Amino acid sequence: MGKNGGIVVLLSVIKRNLYDVQVMYYTCLNFWLLSYYKESAKYFAGPASGIIRNVITIIQNHSREKIWRVAFYLFKNLSNLHENTIEIMVDCGLLKVVDTLLKGNIKDTELKEDLETMGTLLEKNLKILTSFEKYMKEITSANLEWSTVHSEKFWKDNVKKFEENDFNLIKKLVVLLDSENPKNQAIACYDLGEFCRFHPFGKNVLEKIDGKKKISDLMQHKDSSVRENAVLALQKVMLHNWQI
């Protein structure tokens, strides 16, 4: 079992036992305990893992304060663990969930305080974290990080904005395919794949600026994440209207 094996097991438990109160309580409890483990940060902060989204689903399906309590212990820890986790919470609609819970009759005063604190934090970050400017700033810095601006939702909502200045941001992404940082290369592959997936002329744009060939070359990269994202991106480039 790999380093993220325990997390994979917990996510599978949610799929099989979502409506079992006790199982979901102990699942949230395990996630909370894992959040104290420094090595787990990258898994909680990666949108692809779906941990935060799944815990929110548990909250929405159970009206038990003991589940809410441990879930928000987890969210509180995560908000201090990695800044990306706050972005994921915002994108997964946790603020709306908090508002709904606060309208109910919560008996636990500590839980109510945790909800109010989390609500304030999410509301404060909502405007900042949903802006296209964040993406532009990250591309300009040439230091990409897996976050909610590298996701299906972001590309689906913003793909037309990449036409500006003769697809300048797309050209910058292609340049990042030559980066010495494997994370930059992997994320650039992912983003270019999503661009081709959602833009009607994405494939043509990418071919004109030599992006398709560079992605193909990265399929042989020594880094597994770069290879995987290059393969996935090329599939999106080659297949018209890929799973839209």
Side-chain angles (χ1 to χ4, degrees):
M1 187 177 289
K3 291 181 179 179
N4 67 334
I7 288 174
V8 172
V9 170
L10 288 171
L11 289 172
S12 68
V13 167
I14 295 173
K15 288 181 181 179
R16 296 195 307 268
N17 304 278
L18 178 60
Y19 301 107
D20 187 312
V21 175
Q22 281 301 107
V23 173
M24 291 302 97
Y25 170 73
Y26 285 116
T27 300
C28 289
L29 184 64
N30 274 279
F31 276 132
W32 175 43
L33 295 175
L34 281 170
S35 71
Y36 285 98
Y37 181 51
K38 206 174 268 188
E39 287 296 313
S40 70
K42 60 184 176 183
Y43 301 113
F44 285 109
S49 73
I51 297 172
I52 291 173
R53 183 181 68 252
N54 276 279
V55 173
I56 291 173
T57 299
I58 293 172
I59 295 170
Q60 292 173 318
N61 281 278
H62 293 281
S63 56
R64 299 295 184 92
E65 287 193 10
K66 69 176 185 178
I67 289 180
W68 300 348
R69 187 182 303 114
V70 73
F72 279 90
Y73 285 163
L74 167 65
F75 294 147
K76 185 178 180 180
N77 271 9
L78 295 183
S79 67
N80 296 314
L81 186 68
H82 198 296
E83 63 178 10
N84 283 356
T85 59
I86 302 176
E87 298 183 34
I88 298 170
M89 291 177 205
V90 169
D91 263 18
C92 290
L94 183 57
L95 180 58
K96 185 177 180 180
V97 173
V98 169
D99 288 341
T100 301
L101 296 181
L102 285 172
K103 289 176 183 175
N105 183 26
I106 297 176
K107 298 175 182 178
D108 187 329
T109 54
E110 184 181 344
L111 171 60
K112 189 173 182 180
E113 288 175 4
D114 285 344
L115 288 169
E116 290 171 343
T117 300
M118 184 57 63
T120 301
L121 177 65
L122 295 173
E123 196 167 353
K124 178 182 175 183
N125 285 277
L126 182 61
K127 185 176 179 181
I128 300 170
L129 299 175
T130 54
S131 67
F132 183 68
E133 285 73 22
K134 177 177 172 56
Y135 186 92
M136 291 195 296
K137 183 179 180 181
E138 192 173 310
I139 295 296
T140 302
S141 73
N143 185 25
L144 307 185
E145 292 287 344
W146 287 113
S147 67
T148 51
V149 295
H150 307 287
S151 65
E152 175 183 317
K153 183 181 185 301
F154 174 84
W155 281 95
K156 199 169 187 178
D157 293 344
N158 294 284
V159 70
K160 284 291 184 180
K161 295 179 182 177
F162 286 83
E163 296 176 356
E164 296 175 6
N165 299 317
D166 193 27
F167 296 95
N168 183 52
L169 287 176
I170 297 302
K171 292 174 181 176
K172 288 184 177 182
L173 279 173
V174 170
V175 170
L176 286 173
L177 293 174
D178 295 322
S179 171
E180 294 182 1
N181 183 344
K183 186 189 288 186
N184 279 347
Q185 292 175 299
I187 297 175
C189 282
Y190 174 85
D191 281 1
L192 290 169
E194 292 296 88
F195 170 67
C196 289
R197 181 182 172 194
F198 291 112
H199 195 284
F201 306 111
K203 180 179 177 180
N204 293 335
V205 172
L206 196 62
E207 287 181 340
K208 285 180 181 178
I209 55 179
D210 208 27
K212 182 181 172 183
K213 182 182 182 303
K214 287 188 176 184
I215 292 173
S216 298
D217 291 342
L218 290 176
M219 291 172 63
Q220 307 301 322
H221 199 280
K222 63 182 180 180
D223 184 273
S224 61
S225 179
V226 176
R227 288 198 307 272
E228 291 167 8
N229 280 284
V231 170
L232 186 59
L234 201 62
Q235 289 174 349
K236 294 173 185 177
V237 172
M238 299 298 291
L239 300 179
H240 182 63
N241 291 336
W242 188 85
Q243 292 183 1
I244 294 181

